Amino acid sequence: KAGKAAERADKRAAKAVEEAAKAAQQPQPLVAPEEAWEAWKAQAEAQVQAAALDAQAAWASEAASQQQQRALQQSDANSRIQALTQAAKERKEEERAALRGFEAAKEQRDKQAAYARAQAKTDEARQAVVAVQAAQAIEAAASRAATAA
């Protein structure tokens, strides 16, 4: 935009030069030198003011463009920060879920180990009962055999 404003200012200056050249080639009515000077001076001041306004417009346009660019960059940075923050939250939640899964697996493994130990003790107790019953049966048979003899 600043380049376009500068182009417009250049075109105005070129047009003013062309008009001055045309005016110089045209036969001029007799005008008092002071009046001619004042007219030229007024025209030159108007052109200077127009160029100054164009320059101000170009500066304002450039400033607005830069401000818009900074706002876009800030917005982009904020979006990236938000995305990274969200990714970190998701990763943390995944870690928590994995930890909960690990704890649940450990608890299940501990329960299975306790069950296996209880089962082994139950089996030992059954074997002991069977051994006692077998010993009692042998003793009873021996006692009957002794009585029969």
Side-chain angles (χ1 to χ4, degrees):
K1 290 186 176 186
K4 288 182 180 181
E7 270 184 45
R8 287 194 307 265
D10 287 346
K11 286 180 182 178
R12 279 190 188 165
K15 189 175 180 181
V17 169
E18 284 179 27
E19 288 175 4
K22 285 181 186 177
Q25 293 174 357
Q26 298 289 330
Q28 298 293 324
L30 291 177
V31 178
E34 285 183 22
E35 290 176 4
W37 168 250
E38 290 298 323
W40 182 85
K41 182 179 169 186
Q43 185 179 8
E45 286 176 355
Q47 289 174 348
V48 167
Q49 286 179 347
L53 288 174
D54 278 349
Q56 285 178 343
W59 178 84
S61 174
E62 181 63 23
S65 176
Q66 288 177 357
Q67 185 176 9
Q68 184 180 17
Q69 185 65 28
R70 282 192 301 271
L72 287 173
Q73 289 171 347
Q74 184 65 39
S75 175
D76 186 41
N78 288 345
S79 295
R80 281 191 242 143
I81 289 170
Q82 191 174 18
L84 289 173
T85 302
Q86 183 63 32
K89 286 179 182 177
E90 290 172 1
R91 193 170 352 159
K92 193 170 189 176
E93 185 55 39
E94 288 172 2
E95 289 173 0
R96 286 180 183 154
L99 183 60
R100 285 191 301 268
F102 174 77
E103 291 294 330
K106 182 180 173 188
E107 187 176 323
Q108 183 66 26
R109 188 183 67 230
D110 290 348
K111 285 180 182 178
Q112 288 175 344
Y115 177 78
R117 285 191 301 272
Q119 190 66 38
K121 286 186 180 183
T122 302
D123 289 345
E124 280 180 29
R126 282 187 186 146
Q127 288 174 359
V129 167
V130 169
V132 167
Q133 288 174 346
Q136 287 174 345
I138 291 172
E139 191 178 303
S143 173
R144 281 191 303 254
T147 312

